[in-house]
Amino acid sequence: MDISHAVKPISLLVDTLCTDHLQGKDEVVRLAVIAMLSGGHILIEDLPGLGKTTIALALAGATGLSFGRVQCTSDLLPTDITGLSVFNRGDGHFSFIPGPIFNNIVLLDEINRAMPRTQSAMLEAMEERRVTVEGTTHQLPDPFMVFATQNPSDQSGTFLLPESQLDRFLICTGIGYPPEALERSIISSGGIREQIAGITPLVSVNEILAARRAVSQEIYLSDKVVGYIHALVKATRTHPLVQIGLSTRAAISLAQAARAAAFLAGRSYVAPDDVKGIASAVCAHRLVTRAGQATNRGELLREIISSIPLPLV
Amino acid sequence: MVSSSRLAAILCFLIALAGGIPIFAWLETFPRLVFAAGLIIGILQEFKGRWHLKNWQFNLTLVPVFIWYALQYSNRNPIQPVVSVLVIMLAARLCGEKSIRNLMQINLLALFCLASRSLFELNPLFLVWLALLLLLVPVSLVVLTFHAQDSAMSFTRKEVNRVVLTALLITLLTVPTMALLFPILPRTAFPLWTFLNPTVAGSTGMSDKVEPGTVSSVAEARVLVFRAEMAQQLTPPYWRGTVFNTIHGSRWTRTATVPSETSVPAGRPVIQTIYPEPSSSKILIGFDAPAEIRLPFVRMSPDLVFDYQRGLGRRMGYVVRSGADGLLRTSKAINRNFYLKVPEGTSPLIRQLAEGIKRTGATDQKRLELVEQHFLNGGYRYSRIGLPTGRDAIHQFLFVSKQGHCEFFASSFALLLRASGVPARLVGGYLGGEYNEVGGYYLVSQDMAHVWVEAYIAGKGWVRTDPSRFATNAGAVWNTDQKRSLAARLRLLVDALDYRWNRSIVTYDFESQVSQLRSAGNKLQALEQMIKARWKGLLIVFSGVIVLLVLFKLRLQRFRHNQEYRLLKRFRQVLKTKYGPGLATENKGLFELAAATNDEQVKQFVAIYAAAIYQDKPLGQDEIRQLRKLLDELSASDDTAVISR
């Protein structure tokens, strides 16, 4: 299968973003693109000021997709996100004003500050890819991708997303501080917000949709790799430190993300390496560790992965 | 090239023949004619264009036939109507249109026809027909499967051969199942039809009386009477059946109340198994002088005549223990008077002859020798034609015609003995037998029926003397050194097959099943004991077998992935020597390794190798060559490795 024509624009997008605009954030950009290609959403869990919003903006700008932003607070209402009907006096009837969710890329900033009621309304829209307001169903645009962020350190007055909601994010990742030299250059050159506003789109919507089709249809997933994924999922279920292991949905998501990763690597088949490379981002946030075990879930997952032999023959 | 419909039609005619011919002899005239007509019409239709007769028209004509035979059906006549209807239905189908459904019906009806033959007769020929059908029907079924898919299909000679081969395989596959079912299934040792309507079996050739002079000639009937499984004897064996102890006029009969005697056959014991052909007789026959017959419901008379109460109506076999010396030793004196009775009307000439012997010889032994002398020197001829007839036939034989068959010899001899004061009786049985080397048994037919004499010698017992041996032409009559012609040998071979069939198939009855089961049980017990005795050795053997199996399986798996395994192993080895031991030993994916080494050749290797492995494609020859080349380059470019070596 020849997927090179579909890969080309996407790899150009990733390369440009990583080298020109988002230095040092290669991994997050790659994960974001993987989430976009497999039709999933991404949750970025890190401290403020590390460039979460910048990444979302840069991605939206470089893909030419529409961008919406919701800053979550405790008094945010579901209709603030979905939109609402307003009485138009001139026409004499209600007309629907779409909310910020009606965009291709939606940034939900500090999602854990919103009330559970609002959170669940958002997450439902993420899952269903449509919004029902006052009895009318409105389809969300395609492609549709949510960039959610949450601040793990400042816990007062927040509503932590429960595990079942976390499960709806394909990928959950942190950003981390940039390397020293890079940070120095960033300090000296200042922020890049203005620069991002001027990014010219590198790919068209059609190219993105074609790439997504290629990911879902033309990437071969061998039984050996399926066996590897299954072995991984099974290992999490029997690990002594894990209370609830990975669900079947997690395994499906892992396979999807691995397909997208293989696509990004320019291959028409999934290698166990793809699974291994993406597993931490896809699965760590879905693990429920045993109470009293203060283990980093990412570390735990890496440990489990390293214990499973890769199918090499 | 032959079209599938033509092939199917030819096969169906063959199958109909194979089903119809075996039953043909047992049919009434009407079904016979219908079957023949149906077959001819069917073949004509097939090869000379079709006649426009619809199937339903045939079916309609079958209705009155059905009704007619349904009316014929009764408890006394349950088989013929059913078989007739079967054959007529087969004939109707043969004439009719050859749709797939009809062809299948023909196959089934032919099988039923053959099966119904077993209601009349059970013989090995059945097996031949069955084998033929079992081969033809699968061929037909395979052809019909093709025909059903595409009726315009045609077969080349090669394809026909393959179809036949497939059918042969199907048939062969059923053989183990048949072998498994054979000991288990219930069975009948006689044709069901005979069981329902017992027919009168032919007589054994050994009658219940000896009366010379009633017919002027005796026809030879070469009908099998029994087979005796035993070693071949040097002289023609005597088969002792019944004893005639009473004489009225010229007629010898058997008086059922035999005076008690203590006869024991002398000589080395001979064990034999006798398989009599079914007959109406009740007398069990044994070699020379049977001492014991191991069979329930057997009544033994004091003179060693064995009666089987159930009769020999069905196929069976029995074991006999005999003495081979032709002598019955008696420990006590016998009732001499009973065996000395001479009829009133015995001719004076005979009495005169006997008186002479009585006077000359003082003892039984001497008198017996004198009578033998008389026969030896009398110039008597053995003959089956030109026999003396009438009331004084014995007199005629002794003094006038001097020719007759064994009955004349024996009855006159015994009469002379009795008249000269030696107790004597006639023994009826068989003399000789054709030994079948293939089967290891004697074949005894009706024409071997024989009568001889037992004379009582005081102090010795009953001595067998065969007066027919004193005939001048005895050597020519009982010439045993005849060379067997090819036809005779062939006949013996066929008979051996028939014998095997009867022994191992037909007489394989419930008792045999039980004994088989019992022996299986015994063997199981023996096995258990064997296991108990040598469990250690068995354990070692068993675990050895398991280890071998595991090794074999592992080897198989390795062999399956051999190429890939070897390539990967070498790849790792190369990486280890080139980049240090830490790299390849970790649980790393191929692409991880490639990225870690950042070596163009490693990347190429991984790209080719992984593309095959993770797309479930086998590595092509070109790819393998390429990969080997890459590995060679990788290890060659590693200068440090070369130096360290």
Side-chain angles (χ1 to χ4, degrees):
Chain A
M1 258 160 280
D2 189 29
I3 55 162
S4 54
H5 64 279
V7 178
K8 222 178 198 171
I10 304 296
S11 55
L12 178 74
L13 167 74
V14 175
D15 289 348
T16 316
L17 279 177
C18 292
T19 50
D20 295 356
H21 309 292
L22 303 165
Q23 287 110 334
K25 298 192 176 65
D26 303 23
E27 188 57 21
V28 184
V29 171
R30 209 174 71 90
L31 290 174
V33 172
I34 285 172
M36 186 177 74
L37 289 180
S38 40
H41 309 290
I42 184 165
L43 174 65
I44 301 177
E45 211 170 22
D46 219 325
L47 302 168
L50 290 175
K52 300 188 287 264
T53 318
T54 316
I55 293 170
L57 276 172
L59 191 64
T63 51
L65 297 171
S66 64
F67 179 77
R69 177 178 178 146
V70 181
Q71 187 65 46
C72 296
T73 56
S74 56
D75 57 355
L76 190 76
L77 291 173
T79 48
D80 293 337
I81 299 169
T82 58
L84 72 170
S85 297
V86 176
F87 187 71
N88 188 323
R89 232 192 259 176
D91 297 352
H93 58 75
F94 285 91
S95 58
F96 180 67
I97 311 283
I101 205 159
F102 285 88
N103 281 302
N104 292 116
I105 294 180
V106 179
L107 175 66
L108 296 174
D109 218 359
E110 299 202 70
I111 190 171
N112 53 339
R113 294 215 168 270
M115 288 182 296
R117 184 181 160 210
T118 313
Q119 284 175 358
S120 83
M122 288 184 297
L123 293 166
E124 209 180 315
M126 284 161 58
E127 187 72 14
E128 306 283 328
R129 282 156 205 283
R130 62 179 179 218
V131 168
T132 305
V133 179
E134 287 155 19
T136 318
T137 301
H138 307 276
Q139 283 292 335
L140 293 180
D142 190 38
F144 173 69
M145 180 183 171
V146 171
F147 253 83
T149 71
Q150 77 177 352
N151 183 351
S153 66
D154 188 7
Q155 298 292 328
S156 64
T158 63
F159 304 93
L160 265 185
L161 285 176
E163 280 81 13
S164 60
Q165 308 270 34
L166 278 176
D167 208 20
R168 306 202 175 185
F169 287 98
L170 178 75
I171 283 169
C172 175
T173 183
I175 292 180
Y177 297 109
E180 196 184 324
L182 193 60
E183 196 163 21
R184 279 170 196 268
S185 77
I186 292 171
I187 294 167
S188 69
S189 63
I192 52 160
R193 283 287 173 92
E194 293 75 25
Q195 186 195 333
I196 282 168
I199 292 181
T200 45
L202 297 164
V203 290
S204 67
V205 175
N206 279 340
E207 281 169 332
I208 292 174
L209 291 176
R212 274 172 63 171
R213 237 189 340 269
V215 166
S216 63
Q217 288 168 10
E218 286 174 22
I219 305 294
Y220 183 81
L221 183 66
S222 155
D223 269 353
K224 293 167 192 160
V225 182
V226 171
Y228 180 64
I229 293 174
H230 188 243
L232 202 161
V233 171
K234 244 170 63 180
T236 64
R237 292 173 190 167
T238 52
H239 196 275
L241 294 182
V242 179
Q243 188 181 9
I244 301 173
L246 294 176
S247 63
T248 309
R249 178 156 63 186
I252 296 170
S253 303
L254 187 54
Q256 267 179 345
R259 277 197 164 105
F263 176 82
L264 267 189
R267 273 184 271 113
S268 62
Y269 56 90
V270 182
D273 307 50
D274 300 324
V275 178
K276 198 177 165 186
I278 206 85
S280 176
V282 174
C283 300
H285 63 286
R286 300 172 209 247
L287 283 180
V288 181
T289 48
R290 287 204 189 279
Q293 304 284 345
T295 333
N296 184 331
R297 287 185 290 191
E299 287 295 322
L300 183 63
L301 196 69
R302 266 187 285 278
E303 186 199 313
I304 293 172
I305 290 170
S306 67
S307 70
I308 300 166
L310 276 88
L312 295 180
V313 174
Chain B
M1 294 284 270
V2 56
S3 70
S4 62
S5 59
R6 174 57 56 87
L7 195 61
I10 293 171
L11 279 168
C12 105
F13 291 131
L14 286 177
I15 288 169
L17 275 172
I21 291 174
I23 191 84
F24 203 73
W26 304 92
L27 290 175
E28 289 164 349
T29 316
F30 178 65
R32 275 187 192 184
L33 289 176
V34 171
F35 178 70
L39 197 66
I40 291 164
I41 293 170
I43 292 172
L44 282 180
Q45 281 200 80
E46 178 63 32
F47 289 93
K48 305 248 167 170
R50 316 236 167 209
W51 297 357
H52 297 289
L53 272 175
K54 293 271 179 288
N55 245 344
W56 63 266
Q57 288 163 325
F58 283 113
N59 291 346
L60 213 62
T61 53
L62 281 179
V63 173
V65 176
F66 262 122
I67 294 170
W68 162 253
Y69 279 110
L71 291 175
Q72 294 281 301
Y73 183 88
S74 71
N75 276 346
R76 288 183 50 76
N77 186 20
I79 302 297
Q80 274 296 345
V82 176
V83 178
S84 302
V85 165
L86 264 179
V87 171
I88 291 168
M89 273 165 69
L90 181 60
R93 280 287 164 269
L94 282 174
C95 305
E97 191 196 342
K98 301 284 185 301
S99 67
I100 290 169
R101 183 190 161 89
N102 285 357
L103 289 168
M104 296 286 271
Q105 283 175 354
I106 289 172
N107 289 355
L108 200 65
L109 284 168
L111 268 176
F112 279 152
C113 281
L114 179 65
S116 62
R117 178 195 157 100
S118 65
L119 297 172
F120 299 104
E121 187 189 33
L122 292 174
N123 72 4
L125 215 57
F126 178 81
L127 199 66
V128 176
W129 290 113
L130 184 68
L132 192 64
L133 264 188
L134 281 184
L135 183 62
L136 282 174
V137 170
V139 175
S140 164
L141 289 180
V142 174
V143 170
L144 281 181
T145 314
F146 285 115
H147 185 57
Q149 287 295 318
D150 178 11
S151 53
M153 191 182 254
S154 56
F155 292 86
T156 62
R157 204 180 167 74
K158 212 170 159 188
E159 284 165 341
V160 171
N161 285 347
R162 286 186 64 178
V163 166
V164 171
L165 207 69
T166 312
L168 201 66
L169 268 177
I170 295 173
T171 315
L172 277 180
L173 279 178
T174 60
V175 169
T177 325
M178 280 199 256
L180 201 72
L181 287 178
F182 178 77
I184 306 167
L185 285 181
R187 62 196 60 247
T188 163
F190 36 84
L192 276 173
W193 174 235
T194 328
F195 162 70
L196 292 165
N197 256 14
T199 48
V200 180
S203 80
T204 60
M206 188 180 69
S207 55
D208 55 352
K209 62 176 191 288
V210 172
E211 192 172 12
T214 45
V215 284
S216 61
S217 67
V218 176
E220 282 193 38
R222 221 187 160 79
V223 178
L224 182 67
V225 184
F226 65 89
R227 298 181 177 96
E229 195 179 270
M230 61 189 290
Q232 190 168 13
Q233 304 296 309
L234 295 172
T235 51
Y238 283 86
W239 307 98
R240 197 174 190 269
T242 186
V243 167
F244 305 102
N245 47 23
T246 315
I247 177 167
H248 298 285
S250 60
R251 187 172 70 215
W252 288 78
T253 54
R254 175 171 177 76
T255 303
T257 49
V258 182
S260 72
E261 59 180 72
T262 53
S263 296
V264 177
R268 69 191 159 86
V270 174
I271 307 284
Q272 82 255 217
T273 315
I274 309 264
Y275 296 96
E277 287 292 294
S279 72
S280 58
S281 167
K282 284 190 172 183
I283 292 164
L284 297 180
I285 292 154
F287 167 67
D288 210 308
E292 185 195 358
I293 291 181
R294 289 163 208 159
L295 199 68
F297 304 103
V298 167
R299 194 167 57 92
M300 189 179 93
S301 303
D303 53 356
L304 297 180
V305 171
F306 295 85
D307 283 310
Y308 186 50
Q309 311 290 48
R310 287 178 163 184
L312 298 171
R314 48 170 288 193
R315 284 206 179 277
M316 52 172 288
Y318 55 88
V319 178
V320 186
R321 185 169 60 80
S322 308
D325 278 4
L327 172 70
L328 305 179
R329 283 194 201 288
T330 47
S331 50
K332 284 194 296 186
I334 58 151
N335 182 353
R336 284 184 79 98
N337 286 336
F338 181 79
Y339 292 107
L340 285 174
K341 276 180 195 153
V342 175
E344 295 298 314
T346 312
S347 88
L349 258 176
I350 297 173
R351 283 188 187 277
Q352 204 181 325
L353 182 63
E355 282 303 321
I357 290 166
K358 204 175 182 177
R359 249 180 286 120
T360 325
T363 59
D364 291 338
Q365 180 67 41
K366 196 75 196 149
R367 288 169 185 167
L368 175 63
E369 276 165 21
L370 284 169
V371 176
E372 283 177 1
Q373 277 303 307
H374 175 80
F375 269 78
L376 205 54
N377 302 329
Y380 294 98
R381 273 179 50 81
Y382 184 90
S383 169
R384 288 178 188 251
I385 50 166
L387 303 174
T389 52
R391 288 183 61 82
D392 59 345
I394 292 295
H395 173 88
Q396 292 259 333
F397 168 74
L398 272 176
F399 303 110
V400 185
S401 74
K402 294 200 173 184
Q403 65 174 11
H405 51 69
C406 59
E407 291 192 4
F408 286 93
F409 277 90
S411 34
S412 54
F413 193 91
L415 183 67
L416 259 179
L417 277 179
R418 282 193 174 191
S420 27
V422 181
R425 61 192 183 191
L426 292 195
V427 178
Y430 297 87
L431 171 60
E434 204 167 359
Y435 194 74
N436 191 331
E437 285 91 355
V438 184
Y441 59 88
Y442 276 102
L443 266 168
V444 180
S445 50
Q446 272 189 21
D447 59 325
M448 294 171 187
H450 192 57
V451 178
W452 60 93
V453 176
E454 276 179 358
Y456 184 76
I457 310 297
K460 204 172 175 190
W462 289 101
V463 179
R464 183 184 66 215
T465 40
D466 186 357
S468 309
R469 295 237 156 235
F470 306 130
T472 49
N473 59 345
V477 175
W478 284 287
N479 187 1
T480 52
D481 295 335
Q482 283 168 350
K483 267 247 178 254
R484 275 176 192 163
S485 65
L486 184 70
R489 270 183 285 170
L490 207 65
R491 186 172 54 77
L492 281 180
L493 191 71
V494 170
D495 188 81
L497 289 177
D498 189 40
Y499 168 71
R500 284 283 153 215
W501 163 266
N502 282 327
R503 243 202 89 169
S504 46
I505 310 284
V506 176
T507 59
Y508 187 91
D509 57 1
F510 182 67
E511 281 166 40
S512 316
Q513 281 176 332
V514 169
S515 74
Q516 191 118 359
L517 279 178
R518 196 170 294 150
S519 80
N522 288 342
K523 273 177 194 157
L524 216 64
Q525 273 184 354
L527 193 73
E528 213 172 292
Q529 279 166 2
M530 208 263 286
I531 288 171
K532 268 182 194 163
R534 325 179 179 168
W535 65 273
K536 274 181 191 163
L538 282 173
L539 200 70
I540 290 167
V541 169
F542 187 69
S543 37
V545 167
I546 295 278
V547 166
L548 274 179
L549 279 176
V550 168
L551 282 179
F552 186 66
K553 199 173 155 58
L554 281 178
R555 221 193 111 66
L556 262 187
Q557 269 181 1
R558 275 198 61 148
F559 184 74
R560 207 170 292 147
H561 302 291
N562 222 350
Q563 206 66 260
E564 287 89 344
Y565 259 118
R566 271 186 289 173
L567 278 170
L568 186 72
K569 206 174 158 191
R570 196 165 156 226
F571 176 64
R572 283 184 158 175
Q573 200 70 40
V574 167
L575 286 190
K576 210 169 154 185
T577 43
K578 191 164 182 179
Y579 296 99
L583 183 77
T585 47
E586 278 173 49
N587 192 14
K588 273 189 178 156
L590 294 164
F591 290 99
E592 279 179 288
L593 284 174
T597 56
N598 204 17
D599 184 319
E600 204 47 48
Q601 280 158 335
V602 175
K603 279 181 182 167
Q604 274 182 34
F605 180 92
V606 167
I608 297 169
Y609 181 81
I613 294 300
Y614 298 126
Q615 292 194 85
D616 296 332
K617 289 178 194 157
L619 279 167
Q621 285 304 318
D622 284 348
E623 287 172 326
I624 290 171
R625 217 169 294 131
Q626 216 174 335
L627 290 176
R628 287 212 179 117
K629 202 172 146 229
L630 280 169
L631 286 177
D632 288 344
E633 284 169 10
L634 269 172
S635 50
S637 69
D638 181 11
D639 295 332
T640 52
V642 171
I643 291 161
S644 70
R645 250 181 241 144

